[in-house]
């Protein structure tokens, strides 16, 4: 998600306009604004889920229905106060979302949206077929909300409640995204592999945003039930679910304010088209849906990021500060004693179907040494890295890290023990700044929860994490580029950002996959210097690299791979003299 750095004054003007709106606008427009607010609350959940987390849901309308029906049923049948049915609705929706999420979020690619369609339809028909919920006729006579002696009976009174709720939710969502957990959510969009390697529990992050989006929808449903004082299944259908997605995408699915904009645009446009199209065409019918379909195709072609970025350009942008705030330094992990074995790989094999990418590989890496893994393209070096770091587990064999077996652990647990890595094919979030990308590396060094982040109770810790990220960026020589989008850097520098991100995790073992590729001579020298410094601090480094001058000048020991097997191992000068190596690798390349 891109930040929308807007001066606070614009937000205050917006709030002032909201406060005055019901006093001056005709009732029709107040009603329209009420609906825009209700829709925006749901669309905001989709911003979090789809825009930020990359998970598409067509089923949000069903969660609105759960909130609305829970309150309608409990207030009319059991006489429960509407203020108690809100938490009840949230509880019901939360439980349903958790169960549905656990089943559907495992699905990948287009199966996930299909899954959301399936349960969206199922819940819709459940509302229509349960006699206790009034079947397709619905439930009427829902009591109005009451604030002490004031009953919220008119749209004007309700207006303030809806928009206050919406603003609070916007604020909480922005806070959440601008935090450690928020970065973890944003990392989901780049695929779960990198996030897991940085220690993020990605299934948990997915479930959390899925549930939060469902809870937003449920709140909107509760408000809707007491505004209308009547519910039936129609507004909770799949069609409405698709419309919510339209709103989020048209407004700008990765921008918090895009939710309001999208809800506003679609609602006003729909109203306008419903008024004018029948007159224009001389027939009545749902012609607006045809226009929406075409509009959607246009937006997907011409403005993938929705309308909000165009609005944003009209406002002055807030420049990020030079360096994050001064904060207390984070504690460091105690490093293993120099020369002790940090990593031991024994008989490690990896098969892809019939292809043996790693064939009984064995080697050790000690604290305070740089070990190079070299070999021709396709020899199996990157596969070895994936096996060691748990990103793509080995088929057989053992890996011990600091004396403990890790080959069966998920990548995030291995990261927690102090192993950190970079990727041969750079895995950064191109739209996020270098600072935010590197801060993902600090994920395991913080512990504040989603709730703390949403309430802004994480600021101390956040300052410490950002300061650590900034320090690693400076150490890697990228201080000047700290606030630039990572994707704008040349590829060689992006690899250095990956090193800074790995260092931000405070590792005792660093796995670097071709870190010098794409660097110029002086940049390579600087990288060599950095790695020597890390080695002297006691970090163990396992390095894959093709530049032989770089490798031979830096590595303490070298392991050569060919066709997945270990061809030779030894000191750099031994390797350079080894006839088999010269024949198989160096000879072929030089
Ligand atoms: P290196 O990093 O030494 O260049 P890799 O480890 O990337 O080599 O690849 C080793 C072999 O494994 C190659 O033949 C490659 O095509 C194959 N390979 C790597 N990843 C996969 C995968 N996910 N599925 C199938 N084959 C793979
Ligand atoms: Mg490779």
């Amino acid at each position: 998600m891109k930040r929308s750095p807007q001066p606070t004054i614009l937000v205050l003007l917006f709030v002032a306009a909201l406060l005055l709106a019901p006093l001056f606008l005709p009732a029709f427009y107040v009603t329209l604004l009420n609906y825009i607010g209700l829709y925006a609350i749901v669309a905001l959940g989709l911003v979090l889920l789809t825009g930020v987390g990359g998970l598409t849901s067509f089923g949000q309308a069903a969660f609105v229905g759960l909130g609305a029906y829970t309150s309608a049923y409990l207030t009319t049948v059991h006489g429960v106060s509407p203020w108690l049915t809100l938490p009840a609705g949230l509880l019901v929706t939360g439980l349903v979302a958790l169960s549905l999420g656990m089943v559907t979020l495992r699905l990948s690619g287009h199966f996930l949206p299909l899954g959301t369609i399936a349960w969206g339809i199922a819940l819709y028909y459940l509302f229509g077929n349960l006699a206790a919920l009034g079947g397709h006729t619905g439930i009427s006579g829902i009591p109005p909300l009451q604030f002490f002696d004031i009953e919220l009976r008119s749209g004007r009174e309700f207006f303030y409640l809806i928009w206050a709720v919406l603003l609070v939710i916007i604020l909480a969502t922005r806070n959440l995204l601008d935090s450690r957990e928020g970065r973890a959510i944003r990392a989901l969009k780049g695929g779960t592999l990198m996030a897991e390697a940085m220690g993020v529990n990605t299934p948990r992050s997915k479930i959390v945003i899925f549930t939060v989006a469902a809870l937003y929808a449920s709140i909107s449903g509760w408000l809707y039930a007491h505004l209308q004082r009547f519910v039936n299944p129609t507004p909770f259908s799949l069609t409405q679910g698709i419309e919510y997605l339209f709103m989020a995408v048209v407004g700008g699915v990765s921008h918090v304010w895009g939710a309001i904009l999208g809800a506003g645009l679609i609602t006003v446009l729909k109203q306008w088209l419903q008024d004018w199209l029948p007159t224009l065409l001389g027939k009545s019918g749902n012609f607006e849906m045809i226009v929406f379909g075409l509009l959607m195709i246009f937006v997907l072609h011409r403005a993938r990021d929705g309308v909000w970025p165009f609005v944003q350009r009209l406002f002055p942008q807030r420049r990020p500060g030079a360096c994050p705030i001064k904060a207390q330094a984070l504690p460091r992990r105690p490093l293993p004693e120099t020369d002790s074995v940090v990593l031991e790989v024994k008989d490690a094999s990896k098969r892809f179907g019939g292809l043996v990418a790693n064939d009984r590989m064995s080697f050790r890496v000690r604290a305070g040494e740089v070990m190079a893994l070299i070999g021709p393209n396709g020899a199996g070096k990157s596969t070895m890295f994936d096996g060691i770091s748990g990103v793509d587990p080995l088929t057989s064999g053992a890996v011990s890290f600091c004396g403990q077996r890790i080959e069966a652990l998920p990548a995030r647990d291995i990261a927690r023990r102090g192993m950190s890595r970079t990727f041969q094919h750079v895995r950064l979030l191109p739209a996020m700044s270098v600072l935010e990308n590197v801060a993902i590396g600090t994920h395991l060094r913080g512990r504040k929860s989603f709730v703390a982040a949403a309430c802004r109770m994480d600021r101390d810790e956040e300052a410490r994490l950002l300061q650590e990220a900034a320090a690693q960026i400076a150490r890697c020589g990228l201080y000047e580029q700290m606030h630039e989008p990572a994707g704008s850097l040349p590829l060689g520098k992006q690899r250095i950002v990956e090193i800074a991100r790995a260092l931000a995790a405070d590792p005792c073992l660093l796995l670097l996959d071709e870190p010098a590729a794409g660097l110029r001579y002086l940049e390579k020298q600087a990288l060599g210097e950095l790695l020597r410094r890390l080695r002297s601090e006691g970090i163990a480094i396992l390095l894959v690299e093709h530049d032989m001058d770089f490798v031979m000048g830096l590595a303490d020991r070298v392991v050569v791979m060919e066709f997945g097997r270990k061809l030779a191992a030894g000191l750099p000068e031994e390797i350079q003299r080894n006839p088999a190596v010269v024949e198989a690798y160096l000879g072929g390349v030089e």
Side-chain angles (χ1 to χ4, degrees):
M1 145 98 208
K2 286 178 199 132
R3 290 182 98 185
S4 8
Q6 259 204 63
T8 331
I9 189 118
L10 288 172
V11 179
L12 289 178
L13 281 176
F14 179 69
V15 173
L18 282 178
L19 284 173
L20 296 175
L23 305 180
F24 296 100
L25 288 177
F28 170 77
Y29 288 102
V30 176
T31 307
L32 209 58
L33 280 173
N34 280 345
Y35 279 97
I36 292 173
L38 290 178
Y39 295 151
I41 295 175
V42 187
L44 199 57
L46 282 173
V47 166
L48 195 61
L49 190 64
T50 307
V52 182
L55 308 169
T56 309
S57 166
F58 289 96
Q60 294 312 103
F63 291 134
V64 182
L66 280 179
Y69 265 105
T70 308
S71 198
Y73 175 76
L74 289 178
T75 50
T76 54
V77 178
H78 295 287
V80 182
S81 150
W83 296 110
L84 295 177
T85 58
L86 174 63
L90 290 173
L91 187 71
V92 170
T93 313
L95 291 176
V96 173
L98 276 178
S99 346
L100 286 176
M102 278 193 232
V103 183
T104 24
L105 294 177
R106 283 170 204 270
L107 302 174
S108 56
H110 57 282
F111 294 110
L112 173 65
L114 282 178
T116 66
I117 290 176
W119 53 249
I121 294 176
L123 284 173
Y124 168 70
Y125 280 101
L126 190 72
F127 300 140
N129 285 302
L130 279 183
L133 300 182
H136 284 281
T137 331
I139 302 175
S140 51
I142 301 170
L145 290 179
Q146 204 169 349
F147 264 111
F148 304 102
D149 285 344
I150 311 163
E151 279 195 344
L152 304 186
R153 281 183 177 274
S154 78
R156 276 182 216 281
E157 291 152 344
F158 227 92
F159 173 92
Y160 290 109
L161 179 63
I162 291 177
W163 282 84
V165 169
L166 176 57
L167 287 179
V168 168
I169 291 181
I170 284 196
L171 204 67
T173 310
R174 281 188 59 115
N175 290 349
L176 173 58
L177 290 175
D178 178 30
S179 75
R180 164 179 166 273
E181 292 283 14
R183 280 187 295 272
I185 299 171
R186 290 150 77 185
L188 291 177
K189 228 182 170 180
T192 55
L193 218 118
M194 179 275 286
E196 285 276 329
M198 294 300 131
V200 177
N201 186 338
T202 55
R204 179 174 159 271
S205 295
K206 284 182 184 176
I207 285 275
V208 168
I209 51 172
F210 184 74
T211 310
V212 169
L215 293 179
Y216 287 1
S218 179
I219 295 175
S220 173
W222 175 77
L223 287 165
Y224 173 84
H226 294 281
L227 173 68
Q228 285 283 7
R229 318 250 317 272
F230 161 75
V231 291
N232 73 357
T234 315
F236 314 126
S237 66
L238 188 62
T239 318
Q240 187 61 41
I242 294 172
E243 220 166 279
Y244 284 129
L245 206 55
F246 269 21
M247 290 175 190
V249 171
V250 168
V253 76
S254 39
H255 305 271
V256 168
W257 293 100
I260 297 191
L261 185 65
L265 286 174
I266 295 284
T267 311
V268 170
L269 193 65
K270 188 174 181 181
Q271 191 63 46
W272 188 73
L273 290 172
Q274 275 173 347
D275 287 351
W276 286 97
L277 281 181
T279 324
L280 268 174
L281 301 169
K283 288 191 192 108
S284 62
N286 290 345
F287 300 114
E288 74 279 0
M289 290 314 280
I290 301 170
V291 178
F292 280 179
L294 297 175
L295 175 75
M296 193 67 176
I297 293 171
F298 179 80
V299 166
L300 292 179
H301 267 285
R302 289 299 163 90
R304 287 253 166 105
D305 233 4
V307 182
W308 181 253
F310 297 98
V311 177
Q312 206 177 12
R313 257 175 248 156
L314 304 177
F315 298 121
Q317 302 284 305
R318 186 190 286 157
R319 294 297 310 156
C323 181
I325 338 77
K326 283 268 162 287
Q328 201 191 348
L330 291 171
R332 295 282 311 267
R333 184 195 308 275
L335 288 173
E337 270 175 53
T338 311
D339 279 343
S340 61
V341 176
V342 173
L343 180 76
E344 176 159 21
V345 178
K346 228 172 169 177
D347 287 330
S349 296
K350 176 71 181 178
R351 287 192 188 80
F352 294 111
L355 179 89
V356 185
N358 290 153
D359 192 2
R360 284 163 292 145
M361 283 291 297
S362 296
F363 57 88
R364 290 171 168 180
V365 186
R366 292 170 187 279
E369 80 168 348
V370 174
M371 191 167 102
L373 194 59
I374 65 170
N377 274 326
K381 307 177 298 289
S382 296
T383 306
M384 192 75 256
F385 269 29
D386 288 347
I388 295 170
S389 61
V391 161
D392 191 0
L394 297 171
T395 314
S396 65
V399 183
S400 301
F401 180 46
C402 297
Q404 284 172 319
R405 295 281 289 267
I406 57 161
E407 72 272 3
L409 296 179
R412 56 176 181 270
D413 290 346
I414 298 176
R416 184 177 292 282
R417 286 158 191 250
M419 187 190 301
S420 203
R421 67 168 293 176
T422 65
F423 293 89
Q424 179 182 351
H425 302 288
V426 174
R427 289 178 189 269
L428 295 172
L429 294 148
M432 274 164 65
S433 71
V434 169
L435 180 66
E436 287 177 302
N437 267 287
V438 174
I440 293 174
T442 65
H443 186 77
L444 288 171
R445 300 175 79 181
R447 39 184 358 104
K448 293 283 186 205
S449 69
F450 286 90
V451 181
C455 308
R456 269 294 191 251
M457 281 153 57
D458 63 339
R459 290 299 95 184
D460 274 0
E461 182 183 277
E462 176 71 0
R464 294 176 78 188
L465 297 181
L466 286 181
Q467 179 175 272
E468 172 70 13
Q472 298 301 347
I473 291 168
R475 186 185 202 185
C476 294
L478 290 174
Y479 188 84
E480 301 294 325
Q481 287 86 6
M482 183 144 61
H483 295 293
E484 283 171 28
S488 71
L489 267 53
L491 206 56
K493 290 237 163 96
Q494 293 189 25
R495 292 178 180 285
I496 305 293
V497 176
E498 288 224 333
I499 298 179
R501 184 179 65 196
L503 286 174
D506 187 28
C508 52
L509 172 65
L510 203 52
L511 308 183
L512 304 177
D513 201 345
E514 306 199 10
L519 291 185
R520 284 176 288 189
Y521 180 69
L522 285 180
E523 291 168 340
K524 277 188 190 177
Q525 281 196 322
L527 175 62
E529 265 321 300
L530 172 67
L531 298 185
R532 281 188 192 92
R533 217 162 49 235
L534 293 171
R535 166 172 66 187
S536 69
E537 286 171 19
I539 294 183
I541 299 172
L542 181 59
L543 172 84
V544 166
E545 187 48 61
H546 282 299
D547 181 331
M548 281 308 126
D549 289 336
F550 185 82
V551 168
M552 296 305 173
L554 177 70
D556 299 297
R557 286 186 310 122
V558 181
V559 168
V560 188
M561 283 183 81
E562 194 190 27
F563 303 121
R565 280 188 294 271
K566 185 158 88 173
L567 182 68
L571 302 173
E573 46 277 19
E574 293 168 359
I575 294 296
Q576 278 168 307
R577 284 198 306 265
N578 184 318
V581 176
V582 173
E583 170 67 24
Y585 181 57
L586 296 176
V589 171
E590 308 280 84

